[in-house]
Amino acid sequence: MKTRIRELRAKTGLTQEELAREVGVRRETIVFLEQGKYNPSLKLAYKVARVLGASIEEVFMFEEEDLA
């Protein structure tokens, strides 16, 4: 899974810590999300997208092998 969290977070001027606080997770979770090493729950994906002012599909991109 690829994400645009870092890019969108930079556009909104949020730090990892601020985004984490807004969505109710630890900063490390944001780090792992940005690196594509953590698959978020639908609820967390929705919260992240909402805070970043984007749709879930704009934030998280799944490759075909991710869906298999």
Side-chain angles (χ1 to χ4, degrees), residues 41-58:
S41 66
L42 181 57
K43 184 176 180 179
L44 178 55
Y46 176 80
K47 286 180 174 182
V48 169
R50 187 179 66 197
V51 170
L52 295 175
S55 69
I56 290 175
E57 292 84 3
E58 291 173 308

Side-chain angles (χ1 to χ4, degrees), residues 33-46:
L33 284 171
E34 288 183 353
Q35 295 173 348
K37 294 181 178 179
Y38 178 73
N39 288 326
S41 66
L42 181 57
K43 184 176 180 179
L44 178 55
Y46 176 80

Side-chain angles (χ1 to χ4, degrees), residues 8-58:
L8 295 170
R9 187 173 54 74
K11 282 184 180 180
T12 60
L14 289 172
T15 66
Q16 289 175 335
E17 185 67 39
E18 291 166 335
L19 178 57
R21 194 175 321 115
E22 288 285 326
V23 300
V25 297
R26 294 175 43 196
R27 185 188 65 81
E28 290 81 7
T29 302
I30 301 301
V31 170
F32 290 134
L33 284 171
E34 288 183 353
Q35 295 173 348
K37 294 181 178 179
Y38 178 73
N39 288 326
S41 66
L42 181 57
K43 184 176 180 179
L44 178 55
Y46 176 80
K47 286 180 174 182
V48 169
R50 187 179 66 197
V51 170
L52 295 175
S55 69
I56 290 175
E57 292 84 3
E58 291 173 308

